[in-house]
Amino acid sequence: METGELLSNLALGFSVAVSLQNLFWCLMGAIIGTAIGVLPGVGPVATMALLLPATYFLPAEGALIMLAGIYYGAQYGGSTTAILVNLPGEASSVVTCLDGYQMARQGRAGPALAIAAIGSFFAGTVATVAIAVAAPPLTRLAQQFAPADYFSLMTLGLVFAIVLARGSIIKALGMVFLGMLLGLVGTDVNTGNTRFTFDIGDLFDGIGFVPLVMGVFGIAEIMANLTNSERRDLVSSKVSGLMPTKEDLKRSIAPILRGTFLGGLLGILPGGGAVLASFSAYTVEKKLSRTPEKFGTGMIEGVAGPESANNAAAQTSFIPMLTLGIPSNAVMAMMIGGMMIHGIVPGPQVMEQKPGLFWGMIVSMWFGNLMLVVLNLPLIGIWVRMLLVPYRLLAVAILFFCCIGVYSLNNSANEVLIIAFFGVVGYLFMKLDCEPAPLLMGFLLGPMMEVYMRRAMLLSRGDPLVFVQRPLSLSFLLIACLLLLFIVLPNVRKAREVAFSE
Amino acid sequence: MRIKSGQDLLTGLLFIVVGGAGLWIGADYPMGTAQRPGTGVLPYILSWCLIGTGGLLWIKAMLAEGPGLTGWAWRPIIMITLATIAFALLIDQGGLVVAMLVSMTLAALGTPETRWREYTVFAVIMIVIAIAMFIKGLGMPIPIWPTQSADWIASGLELLRGR
């Protein structure tokens, strides 16, 4: 029954994903994703925010397939830059620099790139199946959720976002509260009262997610990058001999398997995702290695593990979004934004009401991964050439795309002013070493939590004990408390600091 | 007492100021009842949480050694912000070409590394791509050239185009 269901679901997804139109959008997503992955300073979040308005003109399936492609495509592209230029194209490929670039300097860029691609492809394939297996039971579970359960689950999500954020926990906590407050700006849907709008008409609908993200990530990023003068040491020798040796392959199998498993697991956690996965995988490989002192001198294990892990995590982070409608990171919030544009309310009902879209998107991820292997290995020369575009020009282009992207949302020039404001705010956050990811989580989940809190209170006739009387809700809250207690323990805190400082 | 981390102190100040403002502005939002929580409940709770977090950071700034404040790179901040504002102010009346030229040039002024000949070629290419992509391709309702309310510029452009 279970396997039969799985197969018929995948068959349905296959039939949607294989249509010429959807294959095209999948390819577009993969290409755009690789391109922005290769370029340092342009991330998937800002790119997806930019393209969000344009997806309005596409069919829903095509739009979501393309947006998903950008995310996992960026993981592939990021590793290329890390290996060849010693610059992480994405935050998730920071650790790939360590051994990947050393391999490139020894003339072994080809095998490093090939192992990164093979590992990513394997991880992507496994993660696709994992999503397909995990989605139906989780969806069924989610359908039994009462408002109180949702509220507590989101509380847990925010606690995860705090625990998994880099840097100070207190700052992350403050950023969550700040984000929730920002999320409340606008008209209160339940009562019709306005909050924190300062009588500015454009704020009555609240602060848009896209202008906020573009400001904090896009504009602030340009300001920071223009400050640092760039230095790129491109490995000048041609990438020759892509094929890894038998020895390379043999050494990579176990790291790829471990990376896939670890990444897949960490990807599901809210606030986790690809960055955490690649860091943890590197640490694990180093711990398990018989020659840990050789890490950092061109060990292929140090490329295979993290690269598999970040791709697996990028994909399994779709699970909470698809089944519960809860974004586990900023990228998933953009996916939700993409769904909303097409009038789809994310949540457990999507799988039942739009099975074609749901399964089509999942199966398209596998196609996307296949395309990426094909795209990345032979075309590596083209991607490397892209790095020759200097940042001084890229900055100008990115700024323009941010402006026009936000403007095109509602043809509103005032929303462009909002990104100017949040650009400065984002820069301030960088200077204060406050990570914006928890802020974004609070901004997204805050208003949702208020809705569920009110529903729960209404159903319980004003009895706040409802949150601890339902077993599901109680267990979410207990896990959240345990996590918070756990993280305050001194030795756990020390371990966390070590893990994040690579 | 000596301040041991300027960064923590300023972050704490930011949280406390925003939380305080939230309490002050939200003071007259209705609280509702337990069964029907009103508009003011969450702002009240969150503002206090934010102030509490800021207070914790202040204590930490006094007790634990931490990073201080580093200087701001004013040039890119000011120029990039001005570039964004210029785009917002010009796009509706000035049209895409004027908005792009002004905002991209302001952005290019944000870094001393800009090479002006290279930038000029790049800007022209960007404008052509933008017109093709956003106005011709996606059909966005943005004027290419300045609209009538700015006709002195428009008539100047007409002259330039030899009409």
Side-chain angles (χ1 to χ4, degrees):
Chain A
M1 179 63 201
E2 196 66 18
T3 36
E5 191 189 340
L6 179 69
L7 284 180
S8 67
N9 285 335
L10 287 178
L12 172 67
F14 191 83
S15 68
V16 174
V18 85
S19 83
L20 214 55
Q21 206 193 16
N22 287 337
L23 278 180
F24 173 75
W25 291 120
C26 188
L27 180 68
M28 284 302 287
I31 291 178
I32 297 171
T34 310
I36 58 135
V38 167
L39 293 173
V42 201
V45 179
T47 312
M48 289 166 83
L50 200 72
L51 287 172
L52 215 49
T55 61
Y56 181 73
F57 301 93
L58 309 182
E61 288 90 0
L64 292 172
I65 285 173
M66 183 177 80
L67 288 174
I70 293 175
Y71 184 35
Y72 53 77
Q75 312 304 324
Y76 274 79
S79 54
T80 306
T81 322
I83 291 168
L84 292 179
V85 203
N86 198 21
L87 260 183
E90 294 303 322
S92 55
S93 39
V94 170
V95 287
T96 310
C97 290
L98 301 175
D99 282 280
Y101 181 66
Q102 291 304 324
M103 284 182 72
R105 281 185 57 188
Q106 295 156 16
R108 306 209 326 118
L113 289 165
I115 283 296
I118 293 167
S120 297
F121 177 68
F122 176 79
T125 310
V126 173
T128 304
V129 177
I131 298 175
V133 173
L138 271 176
T139 306
R140 275 191 286 274
L141 180 71
Q143 278 161 345
Q144 296 163 9
F145 279 17
D149 302 327
Y150 267 110
F151 176 86
S152 305
L153 180 63
M154 289 178 187
T155 310
L156 178 61
L158 288 180
V159 169
F160 264 116
I162 292 165
V163 172
L164 298 179
R166 266 167 297 172
S168 155
I169 296 168
I170 308 179
K171 279 182 189 167
L173 187 69
M175 292 297 270
V176 164
F177 293 139
L178 196 60
M180 290 173 83
L181 264 181
L182 281 175
L184 295 183
V185 172
T187 309
D188 173 9
V189 280
N190 268 53
T191 61
N193 299 331
T194 58
R195 288 188 282 207
F196 306 120
T197 55
F198 304 100
D199 280 328
I200 300 169
D202 289 276
L203 290 180
F204 285 177
D205 283 338
I207 298 170
F209 180 64
V210 175
L212 177 76
V213 170
M214 294 276 230
V216 171
F217 284 95
I219 303 288
E221 200 80 358
I222 301 176
M223 292 174 179
N225 287 340
L226 280 182
T227 319
N228 317 323
S229 196
E230 60 181 333
R231 222 188 72 245
R232 291 180 188 171
D233 333 300
L234 199 64
V235 173
S236 49
S237 61
K238 282 214 182 79
V239 181
S240 56
L242 267 177
M243 277 320 288
T245 60
K246 266 207 187 111
E247 166 76 11
D248 287 337
L249 282 174
K250 225 176 85 188
R251 280 168 61 188
S252 302
I253 291 173
I256 288 175
L257 289 174
R258 284 192 290 261
T260 304
F261 177 74
L262 190 66
L265 219 59
L266 288 173
I268 305 173
L269 300 182
V275 184
L276 184 71
S278 60
F279 275 87
S280 319
Y282 191 80
T283 316
V284 166
E285 288 313 320
K286 205 169 165 178
K287 279 254 164 71
L288 289 179
S289 170
R290 252 171 281 163
T291 52
E293 71 282 354
K294 277 195 184 160
F295 271 78
T297 62
M299 293 281 278
I300 200 154
E301 289 91 339
V303 176
E307 279 304 312
S308 312
N310 71 23
N311 217 47
Q315 253 161 298
T316 52
S317 60
F318 280 82
I319 291 177
M321 193 275 288
L322 285 171
T323 56
L324 307 171
I326 298 176
S328 56
N329 55 39
V331 176
M332 288 308 119
M334 301 311 311
M335 290 298 298
I336 288 184
M339 288 181 148
M340 301 275 227
I341 282 183
H342 289 94
I344 303 162
V345 181
Q349 70 286 351
V350 175
M351 197 175 87
E352 273 179 6
Q353 288 168 5
K354 309 239 175 209
L357 174 109
F358 186 91
W359 294 104
M361 195 163 105
I362 291 175
V363 174
S364 84
M365 292 181 191
W366 186 78
F367 277 106
N369 276 293
L370 188 65
M371 288 179 192
L372 281 164
V373 173
V374 176
L375 209 68
N376 265 2
L377 291 181
L379 296 182
I380 211 101
I382 297 176
W383 299 128
V384 172
R385 209 156 303 150
M386 266 183 53
L387 285 168
L388 298 176
V389 178
Y391 193 77
R392 53 178 185 270
L393 294 181
L394 267 186
V396 170
I398 298 168
L399 177 87
F400 163 68
F401 281 119
C402 284
C403 288
I404 191 101
V406 168
Y407 177 82
S408 64
L409 279 178
N410 298 313
N411 289 317
S412 154
N414 291 336
E415 296 207 327
V416 182
L417 290 177
I418 292 180
I419 66 168
F421 174 74
F422 279 111
V424 180
V425 171
Y427 188 84
L428 176 69
F429 287 155
M430 267 184 224
K431 278 286 163 191
L432 294 177
D433 211 8
C434 291
E435 232 206 324
L439 175 109
L440 233 46
M441 290 291 287
F443 180 84
L444 287 164
L445 294 183
M448 290 162 101
M449 284 171 76
E450 186 178 35
V451 169
Y452 286 114
M453 189 258 293
R454 280 178 162 153
R455 272 188 214 160
M457 291 303 272
L458 192 64
L459 286 174
S460 73
R461 297 171 201 281
D463 182 5
L465 286 178
V466 65
F467 294 107
V468 290
Q469 276 162 351
R470 289 189 54 88
L472 265 175
S473 170
L474 179 67
S475 37
F476 291 143
L477 288 179
L478 280 179
I479 300 171
C481 289
L482 279 177
L483 264 178
L484 275 181
L485 277 178
F486 190 63
I487 199 76
V488 187
L489 294 178
N491 49 348
V492 177
R493 230 171 59 199
K494 221 165 267 164
R496 175 176 169 275
E497 271 156 30
V498 171
F500 281 116
S501 65
E502 162 258 85
Chain B
M1 216 174 196
R2 201 170 63 87
I3 296 158
K4 291 183 180 165
S5 169
Q7 199 185 65
D8 284 344
L9 191 83
L10 192 63
T11 314
L13 182 71
L14 176 79
F15 289 165
I16 290 173
V17 167
V18 175
L23 279 184
W24 190 55
I25 300 168
D28 48 355
Y29 294 159
M31 284 295 179
T33 60
Q35 193 172 349
R36 292 178 190 280
T39 313
V41 177
L42 216 52
Y44 182 79
I45 298 173
L46 289 174
S47 298
W48 274 116
C49 287
L50 202 53
I51 293 173
T53 316
L56 277 180
L57 273 172
W58 271 7
I59 297 171
K60 193 176 163 239
M62 299 293 174
L63 295 180
E65 214 64 54
L69 293 167
T70 47
W72 282 41
W74 288 108
R75 181 169 170 176
I77 298 172
I78 293 173
M79 295 323 290
I80 296 293
T81 307
L82 282 181
T84 316
I85 294 174
F87 186 91
L89 296 182
L90 286 168
I91 185 76
D92 283 329
Q93 301 294 321
L96 187 66
V97 174
V98 175
M100 279 183 82
L101 267 181
V102 176
S103 80
M104 292 199 310
T105 308
L106 284 170
L109 284 167
T111 166
E113 287 173 28
T114 298
R115 295 173 197 170
W116 291 100
R117 199 171 300 165
E118 174 195 76
Y119 164 74
T120 311
V121 176
F122 184 73
V124 171
I125 297 174
M126 280 292 293
I127 290 174
V128 172
I129 292 177
I131 292 174
M133 208 161 110
F134 293 105
I135 297 184
K136 306 288 181 206
L138 290 173
M140 276 172 56
I142 308 174
I144 299 180
W145 301 106
T147 52
Q148 280 160 353
S149 49
D151 21 50
W152 55 275
I153 308 174
S155 53
L157 282 169
E158 299 285 289
L159 275 178
L160 277 178
R161 281 187 288 173
R163 287 211 207 143

